[in-house]
Amino acid sequence: MSTETLPRTVERSLWANRLRSLLTQENIVTIIVSLIVGAAVILPLITLFISSFKVLDPLGWDTTWGFGNYVTLFTDRIIPKAFVNTLIISSGSTILATVLGVSLAWINARTNCPGRDYLEPYNLIPFFLSPFIGAIAWHNLGEPQTGLLNVWAREIFGFEGALMNIDTIWGVVWVTGIFFAPLVYLFVVGSLRRMDPSLEDSARTTGAGLVRTTMTVTLPLVMPGILSGAIIVFVTSAGEFGVPFKLSAPYGWETLTTQIFSKAVGDDANHFLGATMAMSLGIITVFLIWIQQRYIAPRSFTTVTGKGFRPNVLDLGQWRWVAFGYNLSFIFVAVILPIACLIIVSLHPVWTGKIVPEAMTFNNYVKTLFFWREDSIQAATNGIVNSLILAFGGSTIAMVMALVVSYMIHRTKGFGVRLLDFLSVVPIGFPGIVLAMGVLVTYIQTPIYATLWILMLAYITRFFPYGQRNISAIMMAISEELDQSSRMAGASWFTTLWRITIPLLKPGIFAGWILLFIIFLRELSISIILFSTGTETLSVGVYYLTNFENEPLTAALSMAQTVVLLIAIYVFRRVAGREALTA
Amino acid sequence: MDSETQSGTYLEVQNLVKWFGDDPAVDNISFGIPKGAFLTLLGPSGCGKTTTLMSIAGLHSIDSGRIRVGDVVYTSPKEGLFLPPEKRDIGMVFQSYAIWPHMTVTQNVAYPLEIRKVPQSEIDDRVADVLELVGLTDMAEKMATQLSGGQQQRASLARAIVAQPRLLLFDEPLSNLDLKLREQMRVELKRIQNEVGITSIYVTHDQSEALVMSDEIIVMSKGHIEQRGGPLEIYSRPVNEYVSNFIGVANLIKGRVTQVTEPGRGTVQITDHGKDIQVACNLGPGISEGSDAVLSVRPENVHAERENGDGASLEGEVLQAIFLGSHVDCRVQWGDFEWKVIAHPRAHLKAGEKVYLRLDPEHTLAVQP
Ligand SMILES: Nc1ncnc2c1ncn2[C@@H]1O[C@H](COP(=O)(O)OP(=O)(O)O)[C@@H](O)[C@H]1O
Ligand SMILES: [Mg+2]
């Protein structure tokens, strides 16, 4: 046996020995990744914090230190109103999304509503699509003059004036609410499904009716899930940029995100004031997410009894057709109607609210997608290429990081693991636009500014926790002894990772990868802060078209994005299966 | 070949200490074993057996001490040495078997050889040999998940021995099997270890498993070694109350040594309702005149008789007598103490009867409390 090659107690110095035993593959990789994660998460937040105390002088040449920006938040003509509008939108869409999400989850998990197994995937589709594109579609449906629904109301039903006006703050609540309903759905449907049916049965044997049982037993049991979902929707709506940008800001309802945007790139750009607004928004959202993670999420496990139940569902009798109709209506309003509208609009050279079959053309697709043609629109075609690069490259890098971070959190016991665990939750607390503001002020004077790298950095920092959760869930379920026995078999740490750990985690890695792919492909609120000419993304392309071109071109690019997303969703479901998302 | 095959100790663990947080899981343990031996670490759950094994395997660092196999130092914090687990050339069988579910049995077993870059033709031969040795030839191409618990156990063993490592470590490998399979696997595991002749450390909390399988046993408690010895020695000459209690069944009575008659022999005074009784016995190590001691008597060495033969017997009352075919399992009340006694069926003891207990001085042992 080759004992000669192994170290003996030779004269090598103690410290050399120590160093040697510390420089293992495992330590080197984990230290590098910890430093990267630490820097990526902490740097922008610290810079954001510091920048918020830099006050730009009236000429815009110089800055002084002070609380001036925070004072401006209250004295500005628009910002205080933007705060209020954000609050209204977040509250409104939280209520709408919660009512929709809980009722749909209940119908799907606890009742004998017909065809519920077929309905579920469609209920979740809005979760994956872009709310910005939802807003564009709804604009074309509910705009007073040219909105399809309004036109039909006038032509078919002889309605006077407009049936609805979507271009208001309430339109924002409507679109945000229906798009985020699946978030609440996902938070409650799992526990509803696993709930011990005897809890409901015993309530009913005491004579409580169906409604009463549901209200007093079922819903309180899943309350932690409902609260979690509601908080997440509140925070996500507060950070949502695309919907208010399209539907309310142009008509006088500014929100914090649209204001941050105008301070980041607008004519009256003031990065320091933008940073201050981002800080304020971030503090609120971080506080809410902290409450959710610390107090609410842990409780959601105590209310449901373990596994192994096949809950017998409630027989709704004839009402089951009402439930069915309700669910179908949601899918119609949230998925079918917007997509149909986009298709119709995208086929017209100009959009006046009337469908003109003989004028229909694919020209809009040609101009927005065929990047090799002279007459293509650069912002749109750049967006396609850049978003594909970001989606493929970004989710790959993010999943590698997620893998190492999960590995550290679950497989190593060393110092720094708790910090890393913390760091990989922090980004969830900050809306994309807040983090993007931090990244902007951090890197604006470095060479990566105005490149795709800065976008990729921000994407990964903000979203790798989602990938990490997918991996962690599986890693917790597989025994550490599987790794250890590979080391004992003589394989190095890296070989073990490659041949044992990664193959076992494959489903989680792939599900996480596709999820990030979807998120990156539709990302708007980070991109809108960090893009520059040449580094437009798909959603920025849509932004450009809706702002500087016309609705049919916008609809065409929106449809292209939607189709890619729908394919990705299909793959995601095939790979990840039904339980992958349900908490 | 390793030079200290002659000198005796092949694996040497010196003053091993491992802390988890504020508690020492292993507190200054030392032992060594010769090449080819089969040593068992025996002790209740939480006494530090796995921690000791993991320290040898290199799956965690240690706080102090030194571990050496042959002339290779595996771990020695004082010298700054830590050999990563994959370089230690150890085969390990885990409690959960840890068979990789994404591979076939053959792929699992071939893995250590592939890592060692053994030529494929040789891998095929050696995997076939070892699968035959553990009786899994028919299962070779099955996915690991299709195996039963006992078969996974065999596959895990095959994987551990296929590369003929310097050391084999077993961490409670049989505890997940049902009783029948466990008893069968004990014998088989021992046979296979004998056949391959690899130095082995076996961890278990099951004393009968330890007695059946081991050349030598180390009894542990709370991170310490209590006693080391062969199965018979541990059973018949436990050094203290803890060991006699943990191994087999023993009657343990507190007393005091009144006299040492000759080296290793003497009398111990025990008390029954204020009446002192002198019992002649063997003295364990560390027992001297005047010291507190615990009398340890195995139930089969207590003789229950109807007559008070030589007048030195203990008078008691039968509480319970359970007929078990070959013997009768009795409980005898003596003062506050309840004796466990194994009697011959022909004695016809019945509950409520008065009996006299005679202790055989040859098999009565005074040990440290
Ligand atoms: N990874 C760990 N972290 C903290 N404490 C541990 C860890 N592993 C073991 N311990 C503690 O060390 C002691 C010994 O554990 P262990 O060696 O697993 O015992 P055994 O294998 O004999 O049952 C126990 O008190 C246990 O709680
Ligand atoms: Mg153990």
Side-chain angles (χ1 to χ4, degrees), chain A residues 413 480, chain B residues 18-21 23-26 41-54 60 95 171-172 203-205 220 222-223:
Chain A
K413 283 125 205 149
E480 187 176 3
Chain B
K18 173 70 186 176
W19 291 72
F20 284 116
D23 302 308
V26 170
L41 301 181
L42 173 65
S45 176
C47 72
K49 307 179 298 288
T50 299
T51 308
T52 308
L53 221 52
M54 296 286 216
H60 58 53
Q95 191 167 6
D171 191 358
E172 313 216 12
V203 156
T204 180
H205 66 263
M220 292 178 61
K222 296 183 191 140

Side-chain angles (χ1 to χ4, degrees), chain B residues 93-99 134 136 139 143-157 172-178 181-182 185 189:
Chain B
V93 179
F94 292 86
Q95 191 167 6
S96 67
Y97 320 137
I99 290 294
V134 300
L136 276 184
M139 298 286 164
M143 286 307 282
T145 43
Q146 293 169 283
L147 300 186
S148 70
Q151 290 167 334
Q152 289 194 27
Q153 179 62 74
R154 289 161 192 270
S156 174
L157 178 62
E172 313 216 12
L174 304 183
S175 61
N176 284 343
L177 301 177
D178 60 46
L181 202 52
R182 206 184 312 158
M185 281 301 289
L189 232 154

